[in-house]
Amino acid sequence: MSGARAAIRYAKAVFSLAADQNTTEVVNNDMKLIANTIAESKDLSDMLQSPVITSTVKKSVLNEVFKGTDKSTLSLINTLISNNRIDILNHVAVKFNQLFDASKGIELATVTTAVAITPAIEQKVLAKAKELTGKTVEIKNVIDETILGGFILRIGDVQYNASVANQLNKLKQEFTIN
């Protein structure tokens, strides 16, 4: 991932600025908005990556799309444009969210399932994840029909695979070895 180290540096700088101004919550919400908007809009993502589109056009589009955001967020956009690094805006936003979560003791858990999880199951997963980590946990549900059933829970570097596909693969390996 090109620019990952730069994205971390920019995210840390914006986080520090927001912390000094007591606006980390507001800027975190802005960064979530930026990350989600870029992820959902291929046109916006392509525009940010395009070397053909001028910085002036990118700046005007971003200021229009993200008007109403905090001054620190707009300052970040302007700084990235002036430094010819606007292509890493999405990475900066994601890194900022990670820094914010870490500062609040929040861990992100990814639950991969064949179908969307219900609120009742989500509560059970949250309780179990909090028990395992001792931290507040936020859940991101990823739907992957190839796992057939069950779930895969990933918290940080730890992964628990209780998918049907994984169990079938284990059975297959047992039968092929013997």
Side-chain angles (χ1 to χ4, degrees):
M1 175 165 64
S2 172
R5 291 176 64 186
I8 292 168
R9 287 194 301 270
Y10 281 106
K12 284 181 178 178
V14 174
F15 187 81
S16 176
L17 178 65
D20 290 346
Q21 298 174 350
N22 292 323
T23 59
T24 53
E25 297 266 346
V26 174
V27 176
N28 186 54
N29 291 334
D30 290 348
M31 294 300 161
K32 284 182 181 179
L33 173 69
I34 289 170
N36 290 336
T37 304
I38 293 172
E40 292 172 4
S41 173
K42 182 169 175 15
D43 291 339
L44 183 59
S45 178
D46 290 346
M47 181 206 63
L48 292 175
Q49 302 302 318
S50 174
V52 177
I53 299 173
T54 64
S55 295
T56 310
V57 172
K58 290 178 183 180
K59 182 177 181 177
S60 64
V61 168
L62 290 171
N63 284 334
E64 186 63 30
V65 170
F66 299 116
K67 66 180 172 191
T69 56
D70 189 74
K71 64 183 176 185
S72 298
T73 304
L74 293 174
S75 176
L76 168 68
I77 291 170
N78 292 330
T79 301
L80 289 172
I81 287 172
S82 65
N83 293 344
N84 293 320
R85 298 306 304 261
I86 196 63
D87 58 320
I88 65 169
L89 176 61
N90 187 43
H91 300 303
V92 174
V94 170
K95 293 296 180 190
F96 184 94
N97 292 143
Q98 291 171 352
L99 288 171
F100 179 82
D101 289 347
S103 74
K104 297 291 184 186
I106 298 171
E107 188 86 34
L108 179 65
T110 305
V111 179
T112 306
T113 55
V115 294
I117 59 174
T118 63
I121 292 175
E122 183 176 338
Q123 291 305 317
K124 288 180 183 177
V125 172
L126 281 171
K128 188 63 174 174
K130 184 168 183 150
E131 180 184 316
L132 292 171
T133 64
K135 296 181 178 180
T136 303
V137 178
E138 287 184 3
I139 290 185
K140 176 183 174 188
N141 185 209
V142 176
I143 298 172
D144 180 3
E145 287 139 8
T146 62
I147 69 168
L148 304 176
F151 65 93
I152 301 171
L153 175 64
R154 182 171 192 83
I155 305 172
D157 293 341
V158 179
Q159 178 172 304
Y160 177 71
N161 192 338
S163 66
V164 173
N166 185 47
Q167 292 170 3
L168 289 173
N169 282 334
K170 285 180 182 176
L171 281 173
K172 181 180 176 183
Q173 288 175 354
E174 283 182 34
F175 284 124
T176 56
I177 292 174
N178 295 330

